[in-house]
Amino acid sequence: MFEFDQYLGFLAIMTVMVIGFWLMIFLLTFVIPYWLGGSIIEIIKEKKAARKAQEN
């Protein structure tokens, strides 16, 4: 069925695919929401500071 070098190539491809899958899951569930949440909070803080500076 498989020769040894084909088996190693198959394992290498599967390893890369599995690592890519879990990296995508990690990015979509933790990194991107954290980044977007922090950006929104910073925009709100800047608007509050600008409004406060304009009032004074």
Side-chain angles (χ1 to χ4, degrees):
M1 186 167 152
F2 278 125
E3 292 183 17
F4 186 70
D5 58 341
Q6 290 174 327
Y7 180 68
L8 288 180
F10 175 75
L11 284 180
I13 294 293
M14 289 305 295
T15 301
V16 169
M17 289 177 69
V18 168
I19 289 171
F21 172 77
W22 286 114
L23 178 63
M24 188 65 72
I25 295 296
F26 174 72
L27 289 174
L28 289 175
T29 58
F30 295 108
V31 175
I32 292 174
Y34 180 78
W35 173 58
L36 288 175
S39 297
I40 291 169
I41 290 171
E42 285 297 317
I43 290 170
I44 292 171
K45 285 181 181 180
E46 288 175 8
K47 287 184 179 181
K48 280 185 182 179
R51 194 176 326 127
K52 192 177 247 184
Q54 189 178 12
E55 290 175 0
N56 290 338

